[in-house]
Amino acid sequence: MNSTGSPRDSRPTQLLAATTRRLAAAGITSAAAEARALLASVVDGELILAPGLDADQRARLDDRIAERLAGAPLQHVLGVMPFCHLELISDARALIARPETELLAAAAITELQRLAELQRLAELQGPAASRSADDSLLAIDLGTGSGALALALVTSIDHLQVIAVDIDDDALALAADNVACYRDVLAERGSSVRLHRADLRDLHLADLAISAGAHIVVANPPYLPDGENPPSDVTRDPSRALFGGGADGMDLPRASLQTAARLLRPGGLALVEHHDSQGPAMRAAATAAGLIEPATHRDLAGRDRFASARARFTPEPISGKIEP
């Protein structure tokens, strides 16, 4: 007998209830939602309208339930993870993209939309004001991991170039797989993602073969303090993607701001995710790196979640400060 229900009853509604009970008994707090996601992954179409599962579907469902009960993250069991408007490949090669980071992505997209509108208005003034190749919008994603942030930006903005940087070969391979999934979307928008292997702590414009600085630098670096027990939902993420270095976990977040200061063009915006204890330290680090307008932004739970700061304007500032 299959563990998800009687062999005589393979109706999705019955299996949904049985799977929910099993997940809840194992202490999974979002048991109903996860049961629905697991069942939907083996059923074509709407669950309520689907016919009874065949033997192959039942076997795949049982295997996926067993993986989840063994502690595998739901995203790895399903092989996909949602992020912003995207569905990305998810596996053990890189950190699982999480909802908190979508707030940073939204702030970055808002900034890029603002810049794109400024460019459009400049072009309306005549050919002399049209953008050159050096003026094309450029974003850099430090520690790209799965490519989630880079893809959220590049699939939202026309004519955007993104350079996605990571030191880990496995992460870059996953990012390449995700970029390939959105190749047609990028072609339609006239946008691109270039993957680059490098240590974010020692990265300069010359390393990226670009003549002008970036309009925006985003980063979701490892930031857990040494010795902190990771939350239960991230224990299966690669440890190299979790700990930021140092007792306060600030080594890599601080380095992200220092590198952003080198890579940004005047007035360019840096957005860096961090631990909820690091808000004041990140503002201080931004100032120490020579950036201006440091600010802390909170997540939906009210916790400090990412920092913003700008490269100094020369000679005149352009309005567009992101308010905390």
Side-chain angles (χ1 to χ4, degrees):
M1 177 183 291
N2 286 330
S3 57
T4 48
S6 163
R8 295 186 301 275
D9 193 349
S10 294
R11 291 176 296 174
T13 52
Q14 295 298 318
L15 291 172
L16 179 61
T19 302
T20 300
R21 288 194 295 269
R22 291 195 67 200
L23 297 179
I28 295 174
T29 56
S30 53
E34 292 203 15
R36 180 172 291 276
L38 288 166
L39 193 55
S41 72
V42 301
V43 171
D44 295 326
E46 293 292 331
L47 292 182
I48 195 170
L49 301 175
L53 274 64
D54 61 28
D56 178 66
Q57 290 173 315
R58 286 289 293 269
R60 284 189 286 135
L61 177 61
D62 281 340
D63 287 345
R64 292 176 187 185
I65 293 171
E67 284 185 70
R68 184 67 183 105
L69 292 177
L74 179 66
Q75 296 91 333
H76 291 179
V77 175
L78 300 177
V80 295
M81 58 184 173
F83 185 74
C84 296
H85 51 280
L86 307 169
E87 184 174 82
L88 302 171
I89 299 167
S90 178
D91 59 37
R93 289 177 288 178
L95 190 79
I96 295 170
R98 290 181 169 82
E100 305 92 279
T101 309
E102 293 183 3
L103 300 174
L104 187 155
I109 291 168
T110 296
E111 172 73 358
L112 290 166
Q113 289 171 334
R114 183 185 73 85
L115 294 172
E117 178 63 12
L118 289 176
Q119 288 188 343
R120 187 189 70 82
L121 292 174
E123 290 169 358
L124 290 176
Q125 297 176 13
S130 296
R131 65 171 179 257
S132 67
D134 283 346
D135 290 329
S136 297
L137 290 178
L138 173 64
I140 298 174
D141 178 14
L142 300 176
T144 193
S146 66
L149 269 174
L151 280 165
L153 305 190
V154 80
T155 56
S156 299
I157 305 293
D158 291 343
H159 310 298
L160 173 66
Q161 301 173 48
V162 178
I163 301 175
V165 178
D166 208 290
I167 196 172
D168 187 80
D169 289 330
D170 286 341
L172 286 171
L174 178 57
D177 290 343
N178 278 317
V179 170
C181 293
Y182 288 90
R183 185 181 295 112
D184 291 344
V185 176
L186 301 189
E188 290 172 4
R189 285 195 171 274
S191 298
S192 65
V193 176
R194 172 159 63 95
L195 301 175
H196 182 85
R197 188 184 188 281
D199 187 333
L200 67 81
R201 295 168 293 186
D202 186 29
L203 188 65
H204 299 77
L205 286 176
D207 301 321
L208 300 176
I210 53 178
S211 57
H215 294 86
I216 190 165
V217 172
V218 297
N220 180 17
Y223 51 68
L224 290 184
D226 287 354
E228 178 165 317
N229 291 323
S232 59
D233 64 331
V234 303
T235 53
R236 293 297 185 98
D237 282 328
S239 60
R240 62 184 179 276
L242 298 178
F243 293 94
D248 59 0
M250 277 290 295
D251 288 1
L252 287 172
R254 184 183 297 111
S256 298
L257 288 168
Q258 294 166 343
T259 297
R262 295 194 297 270
L263 300 180
L264 287 168
R265 63 181 61 197
L269 180 66
L271 298 169
V272 182
E273 186 167 324
H274 58 74
H275 190 271
D276 58 16
S277 67
Q278 295 166 346
M282 288 293 284
R283 294 193 297 274
T287 300
L291 299 169
I292 62 172
E293 300 179 6
T296 301
H297 307 267
R298 293 179 175 176
D299 60 23
L300 296 179
R303 298 168 296 195
D304 290 354
R305 185 53 60 201
F306 69 92
S308 67
R310 287 192 183 276
R312 293 185 180 277
F313 297 97
T314 54
E316 294 294 334
I318 301 171
S319 62
K321 177 180 179 180
I322 293 183
E323 297 297 334

